[in-house]
Amino acid sequence: MSTHSILLIDDDKDLAELLGEYLEVEGYRLVAAHTGETGIDKLKEHHYDLVLLDVMMPGIDGFETLKRIREFSIIPVLMLTAKGEETDRVLGLELGADDYLAKPYSHRELLARIKALIRRIELDKNEKASDRGILAIEGVELNFDTYRVHCNGQHLPMTTSEFKVLRVLMTKVGKAVPKEDLYLEVLGREIMAYDRSIDMHVSNVRRKLASAGNEDSIQTIRGVGYMFAEAK
């Protein structure tokens, strides 16, 4: 059985209790925090594998909570957003969420998202030593051991998902990578209709690279996906 610990930051205490019982049966340990401030404190004090973060909360909302989390942690974060609120999903991804799920959701659907993100964590941990090290192309340097990114000598803080986007594209430099492949390799799940998660992660990576003087390496291949291109 899994021993992964999940931190739920949500002010709905009844939901937290029901979800905790459900996930315990599935082999996960759920710890609940009912305010953003409490969730941040718990994350600083203990190790968790994943954060489930609700948008609407008293005090600081989910967006502000996420901003503060990203100041000290790259832990995977699954945002829980209002159904139909695309602006919430886009903003969450821009601020560093790895994926999102609209409320109301079924426990089975949430479990599938959790398993997908945890699966990606395990695959990263189990990479062979020969696949690790440093990859540098066009002034962009990835350190597979520390998950640090440098561009033209400047350190660029990136979330786990943003780092994975760069890793996939750079290890396949000069080749178009279909969006379907990026969803599987970065988020551990298949693409869904009207899903913009990967597009937002790529946009975030582009913005960060551009801030360090690299604006053209990631190209959009219409109808296919994206490509990391070497200068001709």
Side-chain angles (χ1 to χ4, degrees):
M1 295 290 285
S2 169
T3 56
H4 294 289
S5 294
I6 299 171
L7 176 63
L8 170 67
I9 306 178
D10 193 320
D11 64 312
D12 190 331
K13 296 181 180 180
D14 292 335
L15 170 66
E17 184 176 353
L18 289 172
L19 188 57
E21 294 173 355
Y22 175 76
L23 291 178
E24 184 178 3
V25 172
E26 297 295 332
Y28 296 91
R29 174 177 174 265
L30 185 75
V31 175
H34 301 302
T35 67
E37 293 94 337
T38 304
I40 291 169
D41 288 342
K42 287 182 178 293
L43 195 55
K44 289 181 176 179
E45 294 170 359
H46 304 284
H47 168 78
Y48 299 94
D49 297 290
L50 175 68
V51 172
L52 306 178
L53 178 59
D54 186 37
V55 171
M56 300 300 296
M57 292 186 294
I60 64 172
D61 63 14
F63 299 128
E64 179 62 26
T65 301
L66 178 59
K67 287 173 62 176
R68 297 188 189 182
I69 288 174
R70 285 297 176 239
E71 291 175 358
F72 67 91
S73 175
I74 61 170
I75 186 172
V77 174
L78 175 62
M79 292 287 290
L80 306 176
T81 69
K83 187 175 179 62
E85 290 294 332
E86 183 178 359
T87 54
D88 284 358
R89 298 194 291 270
V90 171
L91 180 56
L93 293 168
E94 288 179 342
L95 292 174
D98 293 87
D99 206 353
Y100 62 82
L101 184 61
K103 289 184 172 182
Y105 53 80
S106 69
H107 283 175
R108 290 174 61 88
E109 185 177 14
L110 177 61
L111 179 62
R113 293 297 183 89
I114 290 172
K115 286 184 175 179
L117 288 172
I118 294 293
R119 187 182 308 120
R120 289 308 313 162
I121 295 170
E122 290 303 306
L123 287 175
D124 289 341
K125 288 181 179 178
N126 294 331
E127 282 183 329
K128 296 179 180 178
S130 60
D131 294 330
R132 305 185 75 84
I134 293 176
L135 174 63
I137 304 173
E138 296 298 326
V140 182
E141 181 180 287
L142 303 187
N143 188 312
F144 294 164
D145 295 311
T146 63
Y147 269 57
R148 290 173 68 88
V149 178
H150 287 82
C151 182
N152 297 324
Q154 179 179 336
H155 173 237
L156 301 180
M158 292 201 181
T159 67
T160 304
S161 291
E162 291 164 2
F163 183 93
K164 290 175 184 175
V165 165
L166 258 181
R167 181 177 63 188
V168 173
L169 294 178
M170 289 178 65
T171 54
K172 299 179 181 179
V173 61
K175 298 180 181 179
V177 180
K179 284 188 182 180
E180 293 82 358
D181 291 355
L182 283 169
Y183 271 90
L184 289 173
E185 296 196 47
V186 175
L187 299 178
R189 63 174 178 84
E190 296 182 352
I191 189 173
M192 301 182 300
Y194 310 110
D195 192 341
R196 297 184 57 199
S197 300
I198 287 298
D199 295 323
M200 291 307 306
H201 289 315
V202 171
S203 177
N204 290 343
V205 172
R206 278 176 165 160
R207 173 171 48 82
K208 292 178 180 182
L209 292 179
S211 71
N214 186 319
E215 301 178 355
D216 304 317
S217 289
I218 298 180
Q219 300 180 358
T220 299
I221 309 300
R222 292 192 178 277
V224 180
Y226 299 98
M227 178 176 72
F228 193 96
E230 289 185 290
K232 296 182 179 180

